[in-house]
């Protein structure tokens, strides 16, 4: 295929042999490989590797988000298809027309840029059409994107929605992503519940304050306690407590007003406890837990 870089094919050449048929040393093989490339070839292949690595990072981020629940924009659809193609080294160059189309629209959405973007998308569609078993989900999405750009009455931009398009991935991939997100959430929820066993979280519907009660050693004094209230996080440390270096240290499930938050030391003996009072910035919003489950 024309979009497969010649230097990429060169990396799959069989190893060279010496005059007696013996394999050359690793150093000689590397030198022979370099001799096969021009400077332009090396720069092209380096760019491919960089695009591949970047795409893998984007894919990992997309996977943490799970399936979408709303229609995609033109820009989001192009970005997802580009990422899918670039995650496989063999298809990195196939994404070039789509990247160029996106760049054309980023510069400015006008009749000329829309026409150029549509032409580039059509170019990619033509290449993809020759692949019988690849990018079957992406093809109709790209067709819709090109048609939207070609309809000048729509005056499409990267922010324009593609009605009914929520993914460019296969149903099997989407189902796997959903399952992965559910499993991760269950693990995080289980870990959070285990952590919250160290304190008692009290929240009342439509109340702006939440209360956190923490059991502490009977000998605990105020000087043993360190509490840091921040708008989005909380840290609590108590000298002599079994949980060190901090009992609580994390992002809150919602935002608070630090100036309105306070703590007191109450009870004695086995009932000795540290009581935290936190004031939400949004009183009508229920947290259901003290700390957030990070995404």
């Amino acid at each position: 295929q024309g979009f497969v870089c010649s230097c990429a094919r060169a990396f799959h050449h069989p190893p060279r042999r010496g005059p007696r048929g013996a394999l050359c040393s690793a150093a000689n093989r590397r030198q022979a490989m370099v001799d096969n490339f021009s400077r332009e070839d090396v720069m092209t292949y380096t760019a491919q590797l960089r695009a591949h690595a970047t795409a893998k990072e984007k894919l990992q981020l997309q996977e943490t988000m799970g399936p979408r629940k709303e229609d995609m924009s033109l820009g989001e659809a192009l970005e997802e298809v580009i990422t899918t193609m670039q995650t496989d080294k063999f298809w990195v160059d196939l994404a070039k027309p789509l990247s160029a189309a996106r760049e054309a629209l980023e510069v400015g959405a006008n009749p000329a840029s829309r026409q150029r973007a549509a032409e580039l998308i059509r170019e990619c569609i033509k290449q993809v059409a020759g692949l019988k078993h690849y990018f079957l989900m992406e093809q109709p999405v790209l067709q819709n994107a090109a048609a939207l750009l070609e309809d000048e009455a729509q005056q499409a931009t990267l922010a324009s929605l593609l009605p009914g398009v929520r993914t460019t991935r296969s149903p099997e991939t989407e189902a796997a992503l959903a399952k992965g997100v559910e499993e991760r959430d269950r693990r995080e929820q289980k870990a959070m519940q285990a952590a919250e066993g160290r304190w008692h979280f009290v929240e009342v519907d439509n109340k702006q304050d939440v209360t956190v009660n923490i059991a502490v050693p009977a000998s605990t004094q105020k000087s043993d306690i360190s509490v840091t209230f921040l708008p989005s996080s909380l840290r609590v440390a108590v000298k002599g407590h079994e949980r060190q270096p901090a009992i609580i240290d994390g992002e809150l499930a919602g935002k608070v007003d630090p100036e309105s938050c306070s703590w007191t030391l109450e009870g004695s003996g086995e009932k000795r406890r540290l009581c935290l009072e936190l004031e939400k910035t949004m009183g009508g919003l229920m947290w259901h837990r003290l700390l957030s489950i990070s995404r």
Side-chain angles (χ1 to χ4, degrees):
Q1 299 290 340
F3 46 79
V4 181
C5 181
S6 59
C7 58
R9 291 197 299 269
F11 269 94
H12 295 87
H13 283 176
R16 296 190 174 193
R17 295 181 177 273
R20 296 183 181 179
L23 289 175
C24 297
S25 67
N28 288 341
R29 289 199 302 274
R30 286 195 297 270
Q31 185 59 50
M33 186 179 297
V34 171
D35 292 342
N36 286 331
F37 298 132
S38 66
R39 184 173 182 274
E40 183 179 352
D41 287 336
V42 174
M43 292 181 66
T44 299
Y45 192 63
T46 300
Q48 288 180 323
L49 293 177
R50 187 179 298 112
H52 173 65
T54 301
K56 290 185 71 175
E57 292 178 359
K58 290 181 179 179
L59 182 62
Q60 290 175 351
L61 178 60
Q62 291 174 2
E63 289 175 346
T64 63
M65 303 303 293
R68 296 176 61 93
K69 296 182 179 180
E70 62 280 333
D71 292 343
M72 304 182 83
S73 69
L74 173 61
E76 290 169 334
L78 289 176
E79 185 66 26
E80 190 169 277
V81 176
I82 290 169
T83 298
T84 299
M85 291 176 173
Q86 290 181 339
T87 49
D88 190 322
K89 294 179 183 178
F90 191 75
W91 306 118
V92 169
D93 280 357
L94 188 59
K96 285 184 176 180
L98 300 183
S99 296
R102 184 177 173 84
E103 290 171 4
L105 294 172
E106 285 175 343
V107 171
N110 53 60
S113 64
R114 282 191 283 268
Q115 180 181 355
R116 179 55 181 158
E119 291 172 352
L120 289 165
I121 293 173
R122 294 288 184 195
E123 178 184 333
C124 182
I125 293 172
K126 185 177 179 180
Q127 291 180 335
V128 170
L131 307 172
K132 294 182 179 180
H133 306 294
Y134 297 93
F135 306 112
L136 299 180
M137 291 294 298
E138 289 82 352
Q139 291 185 48
V141 176
L142 294 177
Q143 292 281 5
N144 289 342
L148 179 64
L149 290 166
E150 290 165 346
D151 184 357
E152 192 54 39
Q154 299 293 330
Q155 296 187 342
T157 67
L158 288 173
S160 298
L161 294 180
L162 294 174
V165 177
R166 296 190 175 183
T167 182
T168 64
R169 298 182 288 241
S170 68
E172 293 78 12
T173 299
E174 286 292 287
L177 289 178
K179 183 177 180 181
V181 170
E182 289 176 1
E183 291 177 350
R184 184 202 64 206
D185 285 350
R186 281 198 296 269
R187 290 194 300 270
E188 291 181 345
Q189 183 66 37
K190 186 176 181 180
M192 188 66 65
Q193 290 172 347
E196 290 185 351
R198 298 190 296 272
W199 63 79
H200 182 224
F201 175 71
V202 181
E203 181 181 37
V204 179
D205 195 12
N206 294 322
K207 288 277 189 173
Q208 194 158 356
D209 296 335
V210 295
T211 302
V212 181
N213 294 312
I214 305 171
V216 296
S219 60
T220 300
Q221 301 298 315
K222 289 186 177 181
S223 58
D224 297 325
I225 298 171
S226 172
V227 179
T228 304
F229 296 107
L230 293 176
S232 300
S233 63
L234 171 67
R235 188 178 192 278
V236 179
V238 177
K239 292 181 181 179
H241 195 279
E242 62 180 0
R243 183 73 178 183
Q244 297 294 334
I247 303 172
I248 301 173
D249 189 2
E251 183 179 351
L252 293 168
K255 290 189 176 182
V256 300
D257 177 8
E259 296 298 323
S260 300
C261 298
S262 63
W263 63 267
T264 56
L265 189 59
E266 302 176 357
S268 60
E270 294 182 355
K271 295 184 178 181
R272 192 71 161 166
R273 65 177 184 172
L274 172 61
C275 180
L276 309 178
E277 295 290 341
L278 293 84
E279 184 174 306
K280 304 175 186 176
T281 57
M282 296 183 66
L285 182 65
M286 294 291 287
W287 288 5
H288 303 294
R289 64 176 67 86
L290 176 63
L291 301 181
S292 70
I293 297 179
S294 61
R295 292 287 177 185

